[in-house]
Amino acid sequence: MDNIPVEKEIMVVFTESLLYGMYLITLAQCLRWQLFADDGRAARAQHNWSMVTITVLIFALTTVYMSVGLFKSTKIVRDAVHDIPSGPPGLVPWTTVVACTVANMTALLADTVLMYRCWLVYGRSKRVVIFPAIMWLGGLICTILQAYWQTVQTGALGSGKWEPVNMTVGPGTILMPFWATTLVLNAYTMFMLMYRIWNATKGSTGSGSSNIRSLQFTLRILAESGFLYFSTTIAHFIVWWTPNNLAIRVASGMNIPAIGIAFNLILTRAAQNRAEEKKAEENARMVGISVIRYADNSAASKGIVHILAETSTTSSSDLEAV
């Protein structure tokens, strides 16, 4: 992909900064619900450290991605202002290697959580996650190959002239299968999750019961956040097949923060819903009313309860392993 005109670099930086700012807002909310009690006044007695760790890792990778992008844009503008010649033609700058590798790792982390949720909701069925696991492994292999290939093209491991396929349009021989497998994995896991929860709502009795409301709320969270994640990723993939380098840069800059935003929103809204249900349950006890918090026994045996309580301080050992 060729560089865009210098005057348009400001558009790329502005878009990336805007999305990164939105991501930081959702990150603060997500960490608040993961680390502090429901009232926000004290730390939680227990934490789901697996989710906290992945949240922090996605933040670190996203920050590196944005920092590298800002450095690259600043260098392009500086070189243009001072008439500094660019590097030898055909070589890939180190910023591209870091940005692409970090972007792929961020997507792989988010996909890992999706597969984990799908595995829990289907009662730890290995058969359900075989297909997405194969897609995930394919994406990991593509990431490793891309990092090596681009490192060679920087000139650090030789002449930098190794390029077996010359693609002027499209994401390339490595990025194309990577983002294709990511899209397929996302579509599969989101469909399986929503289908399972929707099926559980049909099997529950009492249309006004809290268990149905909880399941419907979870379904809405997955649909909204999943649409945000999937739509930005597919836009990123499609725009690579256009000759518009500005559109490619803007879509690429939006995609990684959007992944983090969708991830944070799922955890935050699930935790808020859990806190509201807990409060309603306590209020009901005060007046002697019994409240069903989660799905009925048949649904709970299928693992539906896990996704509703994923960010809570549950004592279930199912939520401690990733």
Side-chain angles (χ1 to χ4, degrees), residues 37-112:
D38 294 343
D39 58 8
R41 298 177 182 178
R44 290 192 182 276
Q46 295 179 342
H47 301 87
N48 188 346
W49 288 114
S50 298
M51 287 300 162
V52 173
T53 301
I54 293 178
T55 302
V56 173
L57 282 176
I58 291 179
F59 162 69
L61 292 173
T62 304
T63 302
V64 171
Y65 181 84
M66 291 298 163
S67 301
V68 170
L70 179 61
F71 175 84
K72 179 180 178 180
S73 297
T74 303
K75 184 178 184 301
I76 291 174
V77 173
R78 184 197 63 187
D79 292 350
V81 171
H82 297 284
D83 293 325
I84 300 176
S86 58
L91 295 183
V92 175
W94 68 268
T95 52
T96 301
V97 181
V98 175
C100 290
T101 303
V102 167
N104 290 9
M105 291 173 62
T106 304
L108 288 173
L109 269 178
D111 292 342
T112 301

Side-chain angles (χ1 to χ4, degrees), residues 23-316:
Y23 165 73
L24 290 179
I25 294 174
T26 62
L27 174 68
Q29 284 290 318
C30 183
L31 291 177
R32 172 260 181 271
W33 283 101
Q34 291 191 67
L35 299 177
F36 292 90
D38 294 343
D39 58 8
R41 298 177 182 178
R44 290 192 182 276
Q46 295 179 342
H47 301 87
N48 188 346
W49 288 114
S50 298
M51 287 300 162
V52 173
T53 301
I54 293 178
T55 302
V56 173
L57 282 176
I58 291 179
F59 162 69
L61 292 173
T62 304
T63 302
V64 171
Y65 181 84
M66 291 298 163
S67 301
V68 170
L70 179 61
F71 175 84
K72 179 180 178 180
S73 297
T74 303
K75 184 178 184 301
I76 291 174
V77 173
R78 184 197 63 187
D79 292 350
V81 171
H82 297 284
D83 293 325
I84 300 176
S86 58
L91 295 183
V92 175
W94 68 268
T95 52
T96 301
V97 181
V98 175
C100 290
T101 303
V102 167
N104 290 9
M105 291 173 62
T106 304
L108 288 173
L109 269 178
D111 292 342
T112 301
V113 177
L114 278 178
M115 290 190 298
Y116 171 68
R117 290 195 183 102
C118 196
W119 178 65
L120 284 181
V121 168
Y122 279 85
R124 301 190 171 194
S125 172
K126 296 179 181 179
R127 183 176 58 183
V128 174
V129 295
I130 288 177
F131 176 72
I134 293 174
M135 295 293 101
W136 189 90
L137 287 174
L140 178 62
I141 293 172
C142 288
T143 300
I144 296 172
L145 289 175
Q146 175 184 277
Y148 175 70
W149 187 353
Q150 289 184 330
T151 302
V152 169
Q153 289 181 304
T154 62
L157 298 178
S159 64
K161 298 299 182 182
W162 178 43
E163 190 172 357
V165 178
N166 182 20
M167 293 185 65
T168 57
V169 177
T173 55
I174 299 297
L175 275 179
M176 179 172 62
F178 174 83
W179 287 112
T181 55
T182 298
L183 285 170
V184 172
L185 189 154
N186 273 267
Y188 174 88
T189 52
M190 293 303 298
F191 172 79
M192 295 297 286
L193 283 169
M194 291 189 291
Y195 175 78
R196 187 70 161 186
I197 297 173
W198 175 75
N199 210 25
T201 60
K202 290 179 60 180
S204 299
T205 57
S207 58
S209 61
S210 61
N211 60 322
I212 293 182
R213 289 194 299 270
S214 296
L215 291 172
Q216 290 175 340
F217 183 81
T218 304
L219 185 62
R220 189 166 68 249
I221 292 175
L222 290 174
E224 293 173 355
S225 300
F227 177 77
L228 171 64
Y229 184 7
F230 188 79
S231 60
T232 54
T233 301
I234 198 170
H236 180 215
F237 181 74
I238 292 175
V239 78
W240 272 101
W241 300 97
T242 69
N244 192 330
N245 291 328
L246 175 62
I248 295 174
R249 287 283 304 278
V250 171
S252 299
M254 293 175 58
N255 187 46
I256 302 305
I259 292 176
I261 291 172
F263 178 85
N264 292 337
L265 287 178
I266 290 177
L267 296 184
T268 300
R269 297 185 67 188
Q272 290 174 336
N273 183 58
R274 174 191 53 78
E276 292 174 0
E277 289 179 345
K278 182 179 179 181
K279 184 177 180 180
E281 183 178 297
E282 292 174 350
N283 292 337
R285 286 200 188 102
M286 294 177 62
V287 295
I289 300 176
S290 176
V291 175
I292 300 175
R293 181 179 179 187
Y294 293 120
D296 56 19
N297 291 334
S298 60
S301 64
K302 298 176 182 177
I304 301 298
V305 66
H306 293 294
I307 195 168
L308 295 175
E310 186 160 273
T311 59
S312 70
T313 56
T314 177
S315 60
S316 172

